Amino acid sequence: MRETPLSNCERQFLLTAIKEKKRLDGRQTYDYRNIKITFGTQYGCCIVDLGKTSRVLAQVSCELVAPKENRPTEGILFFNLELSQMASPAFEPSRQSELLVKLNRQLERCLRNSKCIDTESLCVVSGAKVWQVRVDVHVLNHDGNIMDASSIAAITALCHFRRPDVCVQGEEVTVFTPEERDPVPLSIYHMPICVSFSFFEQGTYLLVDPCEREERVMDGLLVIAMNKHREMCSVQSSGGIMLLKEQVLRCSKIASVKVAEVTELINKALENDKKARYVFEFL
Amino acid sequence: FPLRRKRVLLLRGKNTEAMLDSFKERVGEVLLPGDVFSFESPGSESNIQDKVICGPGLRRNGDEILVCKSGILRHKEPNLYWIDSQQKRYVPAKGECVIGIVTAKSGDVFKVDVGGSEQASLSYLAFEGATKRNRPNVQVGDLVYSQFIIANKDMEPELVCIDSSGRANGMGVFGTGGLLFKVSLGLVRKLLVPQSEIVKDLEKIFPFEMVVGMNGRIWVKARSTQQTLIVANILESCENMTAQQRRTLFKKVAQNAS
């Protein structure tokens, strides 16, 4: 099914509203929508809601595989983002759209290339057996800013995930079930989080966390991935607009504030979940 | 209530009475797809003829009536029954007025997106005062308020912007400025009821223009961007509010506005 076209009147209205520093849902220019993080019953399952409409689910799983030949002592990380039709009727199933490729690439750059996960700790037997950690991100509802929601969901799911404990005796590898030995968390060095900025009127106006309709009117997008130590992990600009140095610097400053807030939120959510699980175990 | 696609069932004698009773018992209740109203097959001959009119959400299958939408059973005198549901997906129905977005001009028709499964076509001659020489000024992306003259499940739906006497009667291209947004079909029907309470209360706060399409699209325009946004957000929030809650909200907004 085709996407609902954007009418001229919506476009006009959005642009005048942005000029007057107003947004459709009453947010300020630099405001995020309300972020809600919930966990599934399994370890490594995380759902992130942005406002009432955007919703993303991330699920982490792992299995023992042979390592890559050139990196015999490193575990493998695999990311896969999917845009199902459920999210928006405009997404076509089983087609590699430009948006899908862009999102997948950005997620990989944000989480794998930033080396936030210790891949060497995922090695079981050098050159023979390593853990392959797979992160599946499903977009359940699309109302703009899939990137930020997926990056939050993916990193939270990775923090939440526990892999089965293993024991190596000589050549023999034993994998323990959760009943035998408590599963162990992954070692995560830092938490990179993407923050999207959309630009209007050739970069004159800037909005944080654009919703779907704003994304359709925008001229360009800048995605900055950063951790709470203010280390930049990736910067991606799309839409082909020229940005000034000051603008990028200003964006990075805003990003650092937002990332600190989001990291706080994630830690709180993880803590709450831990407590809930602890109580549940003793019941 | 604007009803769509009435189905008339002719039922006879005492069976009808049994049927009506089973209907009357459940008015106001929540029904789910698959619920059945059954009555015995007409065996005894009787002279009394009675009509039961089934509106949306009810379907006849042989000797029984099936519920095919979830919602509340409603009744209107004498024998009109329908299911009041809160769906978002629009299915075109003949005679309904909708807000469409022009997506393409091809030859002598415009393609219009109405939010249904298929795009509707709108002839350029179907505007007030339009002739072969004098074409209406319609651009891609414009909004049109128009009426369905053909809408059935096997054919491409067709729209017109004139009534049977060739007058525009409020239809045509509109929407310079103002904001378009989507709400559920249930809310749209609430707004379109003659003397709708929501609209009455809202127009006391400040003046604004509004176009409501049966396809769930609403266009509003007030004096300023701020006021337009307020109206749009209030209408969206009316979806899940009781009359009491709505009045308190409106009071609060009116205080802030003045």
Side-chain angles (χ1 to χ4, degrees):
Chain A
M1 205 177 117
R2 282 223 261 171
E3 200 171 11
T4 324
L6 194 74
S7 65
N8 295 344
C9 113
E10 281 169 279
R11 186 181 301 273
Q12 234 173 44
F13 185 85
L14 275 166
L15 287 175
T16 40
I18 288 161
K19 273 177 208 161
E20 292 176 28
K21 302 230 179 290
K22 289 190 180 80
R23 292 175 80 168
L24 288 183
D25 37 13
R27 277 184 285 161
Q28 295 292 311
T29 332
Y30 298 151
D31 280 358
Y32 245 97
R33 279 171 284 184
N34 204 6
I35 303 172
K36 194 176 136 208
I37 301 171
T38 41
F39 297 99
T41 44
Q42 264 187 319
Y43 276 123
C45 177
C46 169
I47 299 171
V48 169
D49 286 273
L50 279 183
K52 282 182 206 149
T53 36
S54 274
R55 180 172 249 235
V56 169
L57 175 138
Q59 173 70 56
V60 183
S61 53
C62 68
E63 60 177 330
L64 280 171
V65 291
K68 285 178 185 158
E69 271 175 28
N70 51 350
R71 293 183 191 277
T73 60
E74 281 182 22
I76 301 166
L77 282 174
F78 183 77
F79 296 95
N80 180 37
L81 189 143
E82 253 169 62
L83 301 171
S84 76
Q85 277 216 293
M86 185 167 56
S88 155
F91 294 152
E92 282 188 40
S94 71
R95 226 190 93 225
Q96 285 274 320
S97 68
E98 205 179 313
L99 177 72
L100 183 62
V101 175
K102 199 179 100 183
L103 289 170
N104 262 314
R105 184 83 198 96
Q106 175 65 19
L107 191 68
E108 262 183 27
R109 293 211 310 174
C110 168
L111 293 171
R112 185 194 286 147
N113 300 7
S114 66
K115 302 221 161 56
C116 62
I117 291 157
D118 179 14
T119 44
E120 291 198 350
S121 71
L122 294 172
C123 176
V124 181
V125 179
S126 173
K129 272 197 167 51
V130 295
W131 285 110
Q132 185 193 46
V133 176
R134 187 189 161 93
V135 185
D136 283 291
V137 180
H138 295 272
V139 179
L140 301 181
N141 199 9
H142 170 41
D143 189 23
N145 209 1
I146 299 176
M147 196 56 244
D148 294 13
S150 341
S151 87
I152 296 170
I155 193 69
T156 315
L158 281 167
C159 289
H160 187 245
F161 184 65
R162 303 280 185 276
R163 68 170 168 83
D165 201 2
V166 284
C167 174
V168 188
Q169 281 179 321
E171 285 290 285
E172 209 169 287
V173 178
T174 328
V175 179
F176 295 104
T177 60
E179 288 77 33
E180 287 166 343
R181 274 195 198 177
D182 281 343
V184 285
L186 307 174
S187 65
I188 290 166
Y189 295 135
H190 60 93
M191 286 157 64
I193 286 154
C194 291
V195 181
S196 303
F197 300 89
S198 54
F199 292 93
F200 300 85
E201 304 270 312
Q202 262 64 50
T204 329
Y205 302 99
L206 175 154
L207 294 183
V208 177
D209 184 22
C211 70
E212 200 244 347
R213 285 208 262 187
E214 284 162 350
E215 272 185 358
R216 287 165 78 167
V217 191
M218 73 187 173
D219 290 331
L221 184 74
L222 182 76
V223 182
I224 297 180
M226 206 187 246
N227 62 20
K228 69 169 178 192
H229 313 297
R230 293 179 162 218
E231 291 164 335
M232 235 182 236
C233 302
S234 86
V235 181
Q236 189 185 10
S237 145
S238 54
I241 53 158
M242 311 282 264
L243 290 175
L244 298 169
K245 195 173 80 186
E246 290 80 45
Q247 278 175 313
V248 180
L249 278 174
R250 197 173 70 182
C251 286
S252 71
K253 269 185 198 138
I254 300 167
S256 70
V257 176
K258 293 294 163 199
V259 166
E261 283 172 18
V262 175
T263 313
E264 183 82 352
L265 202 76
I266 293 175
N267 285 334
K268 220 179 254 170
L270 284 167
E271 193 107 323
N272 284 343
D273 183 68
K274 209 173 175 182
K275 269 185 209 154
R277 268 167 211 275
Y278 189 72
V279 171
F280 187 72
E281 252 173 48
F282 276 82
L283 278 178
Chain B
F1 248 80
L3 260 189
R4 37 202 304 219
R5 263 170 294 160
K6 290 172 193 166
R7 284 192 201 87
V8 181
L9 291 183
L10 279 169
L11 305 169
R12 274 170 209 280
K14 62 179 180 192
N15 299 312
T16 318
E17 269 164 42
M19 173 107 226
L20 286 179
D21 285 344
S22 73
F23 261 131
K24 267 181 192 144
E25 266 170 32
R26 308 198 65 176
V27 167
E29 274 182 44
V30 174
L31 296 180
L32 296 171
D35 283 351
V36 179
F37 292 101
S38 56
F39 53 100
E40 288 146 28
S41 57
S44 54
E45 279 295 314
S46 165
N47 296 331
I48 320 156
Q49 263 198 0
D50 225 345
K51 277 183 192 169
V52 172
I53 301 175
C54 290
L58 294 173
R59 203 177 56 175
R60 184 184 171 177
N61 182 22
D63 289 339
E64 48 192 28
I65 289 179
L66 296 174
V67 178
C68 55
K69 262 183 203 171
S70 51
I72 301 164
L73 184 70
R74 301 276 188 205
H75 169 56
K76 199 175 175 184
E77 286 300 330
N79 288 322
L80 185 62
Y81 295 91
W82 75 95
I83 301 276
D84 199 7
S85 63
Q86 284 282 340
Q87 71 175 30
K88 283 189 172 173
R89 200 175 79 96
Y90 179 68
V91 182
K94 192 180 167 183
E96 284 186 353
C97 287
V98 294
I99 297 178
I101 303 168
V102 179
T103 56
K105 291 192 213 179
S106 58
D108 51 1
V109 290
F110 302 113
K111 289 279 174 234
V112 181
D113 178 279
V114 287
S117 61
E118 210 182 348
Q119 297 209 329
S121 68
L122 170 64
S123 164
Y124 75 90
L125 290 172
F127 287 86
E128 190 186 52
T131 56
K132 285 230 162 190
R133 287 244 181 102
N134 180 22
R135 286 188 172 224
N137 181 21
V138 182
Q139 304 301 326
V140 170
D142 275 355
L143 298 178
V144 283
Y145 188 64
S146 48
Q147 195 178 24
F148 278 108
I149 53 159
I150 295 176
N152 59 45
K153 61 181 177 184
D154 304 314
M155 282 166 68
E156 187 184 39
E158 197 177 328
L159 293 162
V160 285
C161 287
I162 41 174
D163 61 9
S164 51
S165 57
R167 294 269 166 189
N169 203 3
M171 287 182 281
V173 180
F174 72 99
T176 42
L179 174 65
L180 182 79
F181 59 99
K182 268 208 81 166
V183 295
S184 81
L185 301 185
L187 180 61
V188 156
R189 270 181 269 130
K190 261 188 227 166
L191 291 172
L192 285 175
V193 172
Q195 309 291 316
S196 162
E197 271 186 43
I198 302 178
V199 179
K200 258 191 185 169
D201 290 349
L202 202 56
E203 60 195 9
K204 279 179 206 149
I205 301 177
F206 41 67
F208 64 95
E209 281 179 77
M210 178 159 80
V211 178
V212 184
M214 279 295 280
N215 56 348
R217 288 196 181 135
I218 300 179
W219 175 90
V220 286
K221 184 184 180 183
R223 260 197 220 112
S224 66
T225 316
Q226 177 72 33
Q227 290 193 343
T228 310
L229 280 171
I230 290 173
V231 176
N233 283 326
I234 288 179
L235 282 173
E236 271 174 4
S237 62
C238 280
E239 194 99 49
N240 310 306
M241 267 200 281
T242 59
Q244 188 60 46
Q245 284 170 323
R246 199 175 60 223
R247 257 171 243 132
T248 25
L249 175 79
F250 281 15
K251 215 175 270 171
K252 213 189 269 172
V253 175
Q255 276 169 3
N256 289 344
S258 58

